[in-house]
């Protein structure tokens, strides 16, 4: 089998970040007050417990953060563990917007730290110690108060949010009418793997199957048979084929740099041959991924009209699947 060698990114900092990213974590918003009393906060996934007696926890803050001086002087901070429905809150506090609290519901803790509404847990802390750690500062907090509620946490792995349980429920609920075709958006150092076809380019694909798990397995088998090493991640897109007799599932995945089989090619995310990608719904999914990759924000997409749809915040306990599938949104 003919192949081409793709040289991976040799930047050791990037490689180290990718290795650290192999560990799935929860997402938290760390909050406090600035010198003038204004609420401040940032998204972090480096929170961990330290001790039960005394009750201590820690979180890391990049020294490049504009708020690092405020956090080091305030003597207090709070940890807000986000739920799986709070991706928008996570993105807002990870952004550079001036007022991250403007569209966020929150209240004051006993220590005066901002507490994010609907977080599944929070910890109100007095700063116990500050440790210099390379390009980060470690805040160690003594817990003065805490609370928790039912819910599923927002998880994070390899730069993406995780909600595979919800994804499976979604896929199974809308695929009863026909078989499943499955494709992979496989990323390697900022590039996407495409498969050459008689009509142009498409995604690596698995054979038609009858269910979510079977479809995912079919894609994994197809990749393995072609010598492609990849780790499938979250379910990225769900849509019906134009013929109406099959449901398509598109998974995000990661693959290491290495040998690329004949008939496949890695394209830079910024230089994808979009007009040559078929079929059209797959092209739309790839186009959306290109946009969201640049913004580092992803969401489960349900396309009920083949050419228009919406990234939905899905509450599987409250929203009928039929309503989701009949709802039309803006063209993506």
């Amino acid at each position: 089998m003919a192949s081409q060698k793709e040289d991976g990114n040799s930047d050791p900092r990037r490689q180290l970040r990718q290795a650290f990213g192999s560990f799935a974590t929860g997402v938290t918003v760390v909050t406090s007050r600035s010198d003038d009393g204004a609420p401040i906060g940032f998204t972090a996934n480096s929170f961990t417990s330290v001790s039960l007696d005394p009750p201590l926890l820690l979180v890391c803050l990049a020294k490049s953060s504009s708020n690092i001086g405020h956090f080091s002087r305030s003597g207090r901070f709070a940890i807000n563990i986000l739920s799986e429905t709070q991706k928008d809150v996570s993105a807002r506090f990870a952004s550079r917007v001036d007022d991250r609290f403007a569209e966020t519901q929150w209240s004051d803790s006993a220590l005066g730290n901002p507490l994010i509404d609907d977080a599944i847990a929070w910890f109100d802390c007095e700063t116990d110690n500050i440790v210099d750690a390379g390009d980060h500062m470690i805040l160690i907090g003594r817990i003065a108060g805490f609370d928790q509620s039912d819910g599923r946490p927002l998880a994070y792995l390899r730069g993406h949010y995780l909600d595979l349980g919800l994804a499976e429920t979604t896929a199974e609920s809308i695929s009863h009418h026909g078989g499943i075709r499955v494709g992979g958006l496989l990323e390697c150092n900022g590039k996407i793997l495409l498969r050459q076809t008689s009509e142009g380019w498409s995604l690596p694909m698995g054979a038609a199957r009858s269910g979510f798990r079977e479809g995912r397995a079919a894609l994994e088998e197809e990749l393995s048979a072609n010598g492609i090493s990849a780790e499938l991640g979250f379910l990225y897109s769900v849509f019906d084929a134009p013929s109406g007799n099959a449901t398509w599932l598109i998974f995000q995945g990661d693959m290491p740099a290495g040998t690329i089989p004949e008939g496949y090619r890695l394209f830079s995310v910024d230089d994808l041959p979009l007009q040559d990608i078929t079929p059209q719904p797959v092209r739309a999914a790839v186009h959306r991924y290109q946009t969201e990759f640049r913004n580092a924000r992803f969401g489960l997409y349900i396309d009920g009209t083949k050419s228009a749809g919406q990234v939905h915040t899905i509450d599987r306990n409250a929203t009928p699947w039929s309503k989701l599938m009949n709802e039309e949104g803006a063209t993506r």
Side-chain angles (χ1 to χ4, degrees), residues 276-292:
D276 296 326
I277 294 176
T278 58
Q280 190 278 332
V282 171
R283 181 191 312 153
V286 173
H287 187 201
R288 182 172 68 89
Y289 190 89
Q290 181 185 59
T291 301
E292 295 187 333

Side-chain angles (χ1 to χ4, degrees), residues 150-226:
D150 293 334
R152 292 173 52 173
L154 180 59
Y156 195 75
L157 174 67
R158 299 181 185 274
H160 306 301
Y161 297 118
L162 294 178
D163 53 5
L164 292 181
L166 176 58
E168 179 172 351
T169 302
T170 303
E172 293 289 10
S173 68
I174 64 174
S175 62
H176 58 84
H177 61 279
I180 285 180
R181 293 299 305 273
V182 60
L185 266 163
L186 306 182
E187 179 190 332
C188 176
N189 294 329
K191 298 181 179 180
I192 299 297
L193 184 70
L194 296 181
R195 175 178 62 91
Q196 195 164 26
T197 71
S198 59
E199 299 177 347
W201 295 94
S202 193
L203 296 176
M205 296 179 187
R209 295 291 177 92
S210 59
F212 176 92
R213 293 181 184 274
E214 293 83 359
R216 183 185 177 102
L219 177 59
E220 292 173 333
E221 291 168 4
E222 184 69 19
L223 295 175
S224 178
N226 283 278

Side-chain angles (χ1 to χ4, degrees), residues 4 30 66-67 89 103 105 126 162 182 194 200 216 244 314 330:
Q4 68 183 86
V30 186
S66 60
N67 288 322
V89 176
E103 299 181 15
Q105 299 298 314
E126 297 174 333
L162 294 178
V182 60
L194 296 181
R216 183 185 177 102
I314 303 172

Side-chain angles (χ1 to χ4, degrees), residues 56-330:
L56 300 175
L57 55 75
L58 68 78
V59 70
C60 295
L61 172 61
K63 290 180 179 178
S64 58
S65 169
S66 60
N67 288 322
I68 186 170
H70 298 300
F71 274 95
S72 63
R73 293 188 296 269
S74 68
R76 60 186 179 179
F77 64 92
I79 302 291
N80 302 266
I81 300 180
L82 301 185
S83 76
E84 65 178 356
T85 64
Q86 293 182 299
K87 292 179 184 178
D88 58 332
V89 176
S90 172
R92 189 177 310 128
F93 279 85
S95 71
R96 296 184 179 275
V97 298
D98 293 333
D99 188 356
R100 299 171 182 176
F101 288 86
E103 299 181 15
T104 304
Q105 299 298 314
W106 59 280
S107 58
D108 275 322
S109 72
L111 295 179
N113 293 311
L115 300 179
I116 306 298
D117 288 1
D118 299 324
I120 64 170
W122 56 262
F123 300 88
D124 198 20
C125 302
E126 297 174 333
T127 303
D128 187 81
N129 198 2
I130 299 176
V131 180
D132 184 276
D135 58 5
H136 278 64
M137 178 179 76
I138 300 174
L139 290 176
I140 299 177
R142 182 181 289 263
I143 302 169
F146 67 95
D147 196 10
Q148 62 178 322
S149 60
D150 293 334
R152 292 173 52 173
L154 180 59
Y156 195 75
L157 174 67
R158 299 181 185 274
H160 306 301
Y161 297 118
L162 294 178
D163 53 5
L164 292 181
L166 176 58
E168 179 172 351
T169 302
T170 303
E172 293 289 10
S173 68
I174 64 174
S175 62
H176 58 84
H177 61 279
I180 285 180
R181 293 299 305 273
V182 60
L185 266 163
L186 306 182
E187 179 190 332
C188 176
N189 294 329
K191 298 181 179 180
I192 299 297
L193 184 70
L194 296 181
R195 175 178 62 91
Q196 195 164 26
T197 71
S198 59
E199 299 177 347
W201 295 94
S202 193
L203 296 176
M205 296 179 187
R209 295 291 177 92
S210 59
F212 176 92
R213 293 181 184 274
E214 293 83 359
R216 183 185 177 102
L219 177 59
E220 292 173 333
E221 291 168 4
E222 184 69 19
L223 295 175
S224 178
N226 283 278
I228 300 172
S229 175
E231 181 176 350
L232 298 186
F234 58 87
L235 176 64
Y236 181 68
S237 192
V238 181
F239 54 85
D240 285 340
S243 61
N245 60 2
T247 295
W248 281 65
L249 309 180
I250 304 296
F251 287 91
Q252 182 275 342
D254 294 289
M255 57 181 292
T259 301
I260 304 302
E262 183 178 9
Y264 292 82
R265 179 179 169 186
L266 285 170
F267 288 87
S268 168
V269 172
D270 292 323
D271 193 30
L272 292 169
L274 290 174
Q275 295 306 314
D276 296 326
I277 294 176
T278 58
Q280 190 278 332
V282 171
R283 181 191 312 153
V286 173
H287 187 201
R288 182 172 68 89
Y289 190 89
Q290 181 185 59
T291 301
E292 295 187 333
F293 178 89
R294 294 168 181 155
N295 298 329
R297 294 183 62 181
F298 299 89
L300 178 61
Y301 179 74
I302 299 178
D303 181 0
T305 65
K306 320 301 183 298
S307 61
Q310 184 176 357
V311 177
H312 291 272
T313 299
I314 303 172
D315 182 348
R316 57 181 173 177
N317 295 317
T319 305
W321 297 119
S322 58
K323 179 179 183 296
L324 281 177
M325 291 310 297
N326 291 328
E327 183 178 350
E328 295 185 9

